[in-house]
């Protein structure tokens, strides 16, 4: 709905700006990958939350899930390969570690993820 509204109201002006920003973001990550093979970060930028009880209001549900994709969203836009693996647990809840590699280097990404999993068996 928001996309249709923005398209109809602003004739794609902000979409074009967003596409230019995505290119700039990808270029900044490409600069980082000149010095490193993989970036490691939390999958979500906060500790995991427990599954809510039944009857959660729509407002509370939206608040609960907001921010869940914030670290992954950048790479969904830029196209850099990324994956999340289990990095451990806090209070019995899983913690995800997201690994990101340079464009078209999924092989390195999988090798690093595999090595991390083997270290933690």
């Amino acid at each position: 709905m928001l996309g249709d509204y923005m398209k109809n109201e602003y004739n794609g002006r902000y979409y074009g700006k967003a596409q230019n920003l995505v290119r700039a973001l990808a270029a900044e990550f490409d600069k980082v990958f000149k010095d490193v093979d993989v970036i490691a970060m939390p999958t979500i930028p906060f500790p995991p939350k427990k599954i809510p009880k039944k009857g959660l209001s729509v407002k509370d549900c939206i608040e609960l899930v907001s921010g869940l994709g914030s670290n992954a969203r950048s790479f969904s836009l830029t196209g850099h390969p990324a994956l999340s693996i289990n990095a451990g647990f806090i209070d019995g809840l899983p913690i995800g570690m997201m690994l990101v590699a340079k464009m078209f280097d999924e092989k390195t990404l999988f090798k690093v993820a595999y090595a991390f999993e083997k270290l933690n068996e």
Side-chain angles (χ1 to χ4, degrees):
M1 267 188 341
L2 179 60
D4 282 341
Y5 171 79
M6 294 296 287
K7 178 182 170 189
N8 294 333
E9 195 68 26
Y10 298 104
N11 297 319
R13 185 170 126 215
Y14 291 106
Y15 178 79
K17 286 185 175 196
Q19 290 300 309
N20 289 335
L21 289 172
V22 166
R23 287 186 187 100
L25 180 63
E28 289 301 313
F29 279 116
D30 290 342
K31 286 180 192 175
V32 170
F33 285 118
K34 288 180 180 178
D35 297 324
V36 300
D37 294 323
V38 172
I39 299 172
M41 66 180 74
T43 301
I44 58 173
F46 46 81
K49 298 176 181 178
K50 296 193 184 290
I51 295 175
K53 296 180 176 125
K54 289 185 178 181
L56 192 66
S57 72
V58 172
K59 179 184 178 222
D60 290 340
C61 185
I62 290 171
E63 287 176 6
L64 185 69
V65 299
S66 67
L68 287 179
S70 59
N71 284 353
R73 194 170 296 124
S74 297
F75 307 108
S76 294
L77 295 169
T78 66
H80 288 89
L83 60 80
S84 179
I85 60 175
N86 187 342
F89 294 87
I90 292 180
D91 298 328
L93 298 171
I95 298 294
M97 176 174 63
M98 188 164 70
L99 301 171
V100 185
K102 64 181 95 174
M103 297 290 241
F104 310 109
D105 196 14
E106 287 86 350
K107 184 177 181 180
T108 299
L109 185 64
F110 292 138
K111 284 181 176 180
V112 171
Y114 180 76
F116 181 83
E117 286 183 340
K118 284 295 180 191
L119 284 172
N120 292 295
E121 284 186 336

